[in-house]
Amino acid sequence: MNEEILMKMTRYSEPQILAILRQAEGGVGVSDLCRDYGMSTA
């Protein structure tokens, strides 16, 4: 039950998170990714 609640609160889907991480591994700057996706650098 708790996992279902946590999944509903997630802003990004799992495929989106994986795509963002792949971009970071590919050399895109973290600050650029954060700006593009509207997330905090923290």
Side-chain angles (χ1 to χ4, degrees), residues 7 9-21 37:
M7 290 301 294
M9 293 173 50
T10 303
R11 182 172 182 177
Y12 301 98
S13 66
E14 187 172 335
Q16 286 174 314
I17 294 169
L18 292 174
I20 294 168
L21 291 174
Y37 290 96

Side-chain angles (χ1 to χ4, degrees), residues 22-37:
R22 284 191 190 107
Q23 286 179 336
E25 288 178 345
V28 178
V30 174
S31 60
D32 294 331
L33 288 171
C34 290
R35 183 175 49 251
D36 292 344
Y37 290 96

